[in-house]
Amino acid sequence: MNINHAEHPVQLLIACDTEEKQSQIDLKLFVVRKEKEADHYYRSKVITLAEEVTSWLKDQLIRSFKSFQQPEGDESKFAVSDYHLEVQKNEQLAKLVIQEQHSTLNARKNGLLHALTETDQSIEERDTHFQIIRLDIEQHKVYCCFYRKPKVGTKKRRLAIKDSNVFHFVSDDLLELGGKIDFFIFNNEIYISNLLSFENMFDYRDHINEARDYNLHQIVNLPFFAAEESNKDIFEQHCKQHVYSRSLAQLSADNIAALEDNFEERCDELKLIRKRLPRNAQKAEEYRKKYAAIWDLYSFLDLEHYKIKYEPDQKPTTLIHFFADKIKQSFLTKNFSIAVDIDPLENDS
């Protein structure tokens, strides 16, 4: 169901604009810790809330959902784009639909929901990593996620609270409530406001590395990597550095199929471009600037034999741009450039 459909549970929540309607929403707050080495990846604890806190939280969550909407004519709608490993678009939610290929993510999502069902009240709040608020409305469940730890005192910094005009140390941990939702889950759909929080919570780096390794295996076993001078083992080793992981993991099956089908044709085009290099030094320099985004490719391609050539002292950035189809040509100027994504993500969380 589209999130902008009137019957979507998030829309039903937003429509709860009175205390009477909000009373029909059931809210539960959980604190959760990750147990990477245990039988279950997550453990959770239910937090008991006073009625006034529960009411305040419902109101704050509805406000947070509304903050994700943008005016469109006489209505307000959620702006949603597909989840992308390399870019976060401001003012838009990134939508990730969990599918069969997301085996690690699916297992962790199911593990999280299991932990919320089978809670463990013995865990300490200070040992948890994030909060989940479960909202139940009309038999639907929406999970709002906040990647934040309880506030605890340290040797150098203590928390104090004012009581009878005197400040006293806080003996218990403090939970920070409300604020912007990092992401929320409905069925197999995840709507993400803060991509790095989402990836940290599910340790999505594991999935990124799996996708990177799979795509690399597909690429280095294509015919143009068969030559000895391709040094595909060294290329693969270099590509497994974190700085390249997201770009490689983002490659789709269509990218790789197009690479295989069109490699020789692209080589022929590059041969023609180089053949037209002016003899005049000044014009040659201007010509190279026009084709700056592709000129480095000549260091990586044996155009006569349609092979990759890769030296141990090279970096794979140019080839990755080529494989990912990030080299774009301007319609007006015919200049080549590397496609620049908006708000690029950090390469490591």
Side-chain angles (χ1 to χ4, degrees):
M1 184 189 303
N2 189 294
I3 194 172
N4 286 307
H5 192 282
E7 296 303 313
H8 193 283
V10 171
Q11 297 287 352
L12 298 178
L13 286 164
I14 289 174
C16 293
D17 53 1
T18 64
E19 287 187 18
E20 182 180 356
K21 290 180 180 179
Q22 289 182 16
S23 67
Q24 299 172 19
I25 304 171
D26 183 56
L27 181 150
K28 282 191 177 179
L29 171 65
F30 304 83
V31 289
V32 187
R33 67 172 284 107
K34 291 188 277 190
E35 297 276 5
K36 297 183 182 182
E37 306 302 324
D39 292 338
H40 299 290
Y41 208 83
Y42 302 102
R43 292 168 63 198
S44 80
K45 177 178 183 177
V46 179
I47 301 298
T48 304
L49 301 173
E51 185 176 342
E52 63 175 340
V53 178
T54 299
S55 298
W56 181 86
L57 261 180
K58 289 177 183 178
D59 186 63
Q60 288 298 309
L61 289 170
I62 291 170
R63 288 174 184 269
S64 186
F65 281 122
K66 287 182 177 180
S67 73
F68 296 133
Q69 294 182 313
Q70 297 180 15
E72 188 173 307
D74 296 331
E75 300 179 327
S76 292
K77 293 189 175 182
F78 289 95
V80 180
S81 60
D82 290 337
Y83 171 80
H84 195 285
L85 285 169
E86 296 180 273
V87 62
Q88 178 173 9
K89 296 181 180 179
N90 286 337
E91 310 303 328
Q92 289 192 10
L93 291 171
K95 179 182 178 180
L96 174 58
V97 180
I98 302 177
Q99 299 173 342
E100 288 184 7
Q101 64 264 37
H102 301 123
S103 56
T104 300
L105 178 60
N106 191 44
R108 288 185 185 159
K109 188 212 78 168
N110 291 336
L112 174 62
L113 299 188
H114 174 79
L116 301 183
T117 303
E118 302 293 332
T119 57
D120 181 355
Q121 296 304 109
S122 68
I123 63 176
E124 297 289 340
E125 286 87 352
R126 66 172 55 223
D127 296 327
T128 59
H129 300 102
F130 56 90
Q131 301 171 9
I132 300 287
I133 295 179
R134 190 183 72 198
L135 298 168
D136 293 73
I137 182 168
E138 296 191 11
Q139 299 181 330
H140 297 296
K141 297 185 189 301
V142 177
Y143 300 89
C144 304
C145 309
F146 301 84
Y147 195 77
R148 61 168 70 122
K149 297 182 179 182
K151 293 185 178 294
V152 299
T154 64
K155 290 183 178 180
K156 293 185 177 180
R157 183 176 296 180
R158 296 288 300 273
L159 301 168
I161 189 169
K162 190 176 183 180
D163 182 25
S164 300
N165 211 35
V166 177
F167 282 90
H168 303 271
F169 282 134
V170 176
S171 57
D172 298 319
D173 302 330
L174 295 179
L175 290 180
E176 181 182 349
L177 302 176
K180 191 172 184 179
I181 302 168
D182 285 330
F183 62 95
F184 54 93
I185 303 171
F186 171 63
N187 291 339
N188 277 341
E189 299 172 351
I190 304 179
Y191 293 88
I192 308 163
S193 167
N194 186 319
L195 267 65
L196 294 179
S197 291
F198 156 74
E199 292 177 4
N200 287 337
M201 182 168 149
F202 285 115
D203 291 319
Y204 205 63
R205 168 61 63 186
D206 296 342
H207 171 77
I208 292 172
N209 289 344
E210 287 174 7
R212 175 203 65 198
D213 292 348
Y214 176 82
N215 287 337
L216 264 177
H217 177 76
Q218 299 294 106
I219 290 170
V220 299
N221 283 287
L222 292 174
F224 50 75
F225 257 108
E228 183 178 347
E229 59 268 27
S230 296
N231 287 313
K232 67 179 184 180
D233 291 340
I234 296 173
F235 172 79
E236 200 168 0
Q237 178 185 340
H238 288 180
C239 285
K240 288 188 177 182
Q241 296 175 21
H242 289 315
V243 70
Y244 306 115
S245 293
R246 290 181 182 273
S247 295
L248 288 162
Q250 184 65 33
L251 288 174
S252 66
D254 289 342
N255 279 132
I256 296 173
L259 176 62
E260 182 175 16
D261 294 341
N262 302 321
F263 183 80
E264 292 189 8
E265 186 178 344
R266 297 291 84 79
C267 285
D268 289 338
E269 290 177 353
L270 286 166
K271 279 193 283 187
L272 186 59
I273 289 171
R274 189 168 62 180
K275 185 178 179 180
R276 291 173 175 170
L277 178 69
R279 297 193 178 194
N280 178 276
Q282 183 177 347
K283 290 184 178 180
E285 182 65 23
E286 293 174 357
Y287 188 81
R288 286 193 184 91
K289 287 182 180 179
K290 177 180 178 180
Y291 293 101
I294 63 171
W295 208 260
D296 285 347
L297 281 171
Y298 294 117
S299 301
F300 296 91
L301 302 175
D302 178 349
L303 299 178
E304 299 303 322
H305 301 96
Y306 303 108
K307 301 292 183 185
I308 296 288
K309 53 179 184 179
Y310 188 80
E311 299 297 332
D313 61 346
Q314 289 181 307
K315 293 183 178 180
T317 309
T318 301
L319 281 177
I320 292 172
H321 287 158
F322 180 51
F323 297 158
D325 196 26
K326 287 189 175 183
I327 300 172
K328 306 297 179 185
Q329 184 180 23
S330 165
F331 176 73
L332 293 177
T333 65
K334 298 300 181 183
N335 288 333
F336 282 81
S337 63
I338 301 300
V340 178
D341 291 318
I342 303 170
D343 306 328
L345 284 174
E346 298 173 18
N347 286 295
D348 281 302
S349 53

